[in-house]
């Protein structure tokens, strides 16, 4: 479900319905130079490609190959899972706690403008 140009109450209500029924939810809007986007994907599973540490292959001890180490690398696929929070939780953050003070540095000022 994608929403735009809706009131905060409607966005929260529809997100709760979507979250309850495992439906992915996106909302966003733009106000001049400022805007926002929120995604509640519920429990989202995905695969990430990871490159293992490069290993040096044993090479020839003399000749031009000694200057260039041959590298072998392996790529593996790692399955990951992320649990997204609901819109209501994201809007109800208590900014007076110690944990929130650390997050305050990473939070864009637009979040507070839109509040």
């Amino acid at each position: 479900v994608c929403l735009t140009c809706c009131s905060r109450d409607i966005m929260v209500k529809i997100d709760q319905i979507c979250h309850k029924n495992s439906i992915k939810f996106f909302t966003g809007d733009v106000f001049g130079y400022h805007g926002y986007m929120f995604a509640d994907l519920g429990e989202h599973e995905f695969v990430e490609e990871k490159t293992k540490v490069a290993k040096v292959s044993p090479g020839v001890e003399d000749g031009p190959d000694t200057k260039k180490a041959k590298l072998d690398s392996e790529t593996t696929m790692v399955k990951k899972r992320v649990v997204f929070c609901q819109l209501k939780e994201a809007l109800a953050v208590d900014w007076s706690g110690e944990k929130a003070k650390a997050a305050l540095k990473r939070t864009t000022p637009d979040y507070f403008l839109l509040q």
Side-chain angles (χ1 to χ4, degrees):
V1 172
C2 296
L3 289 181
T4 186
C5 302
C6 292
S7 71
R8 181 176 171 162
D9 293 336
I10 291 173
M11 289 187 293
V12 168
K13 184 175 181 174
I14 292 176
D15 180 41
Q16 288 175 335
I17 294 167
C18 289
H19 194 84
K20 182 179 175 183
N21 293 298
S22 300
I23 298 170
K24 295 180 182 350
F25 173 80
F26 297 89
T27 186
D29 213 337
V30 178
F31 308 101
Y33 289 111
H34 300 279
Y36 69 91
M37 191 281 299
F38 179 84
D40 178 1
L41 304 179
E43 291 184 18
H44 181 68
E45 291 184 354
F46 62 98
V47 177
E48 185 174 84
E49 196 174 279
K50 291 281 186 179
T51 304
K52 287 191 176 183
V53 178
K55 301 174 187 174
V56 178
S57 300
V60 181
E61 293 203 17
D62 53 344
D65 290 341
T66 56
K67 294 180 182 176
K68 297 178 183 176
K70 294 182 181 177
L71 300 177
D72 290 333
S73 60
E74 290 183 23
T75 304
T76 58
M77 302 303 260
V78 179
K79 188 175 182 179
K80 294 195 171 190
R81 181 176 161 263
V82 177
V83 179
F84 285 74
C85 73
Q86 292 184 31
L87 181 59
K88 185 176 184 178
E89 295 170 21
L91 295 173
V93 174
D94 178 19
W95 292 101
S96 62
E98 288 299 318
K99 190 175 180 182
K101 287 181 184 177
L104 187 59
K105 294 176 185 174
R106 298 185 314 267
T107 304
T108 177
D110 291 349
Y111 173 85
F112 301 103
L113 286 171
L114 295 170
Q115 287 287 1

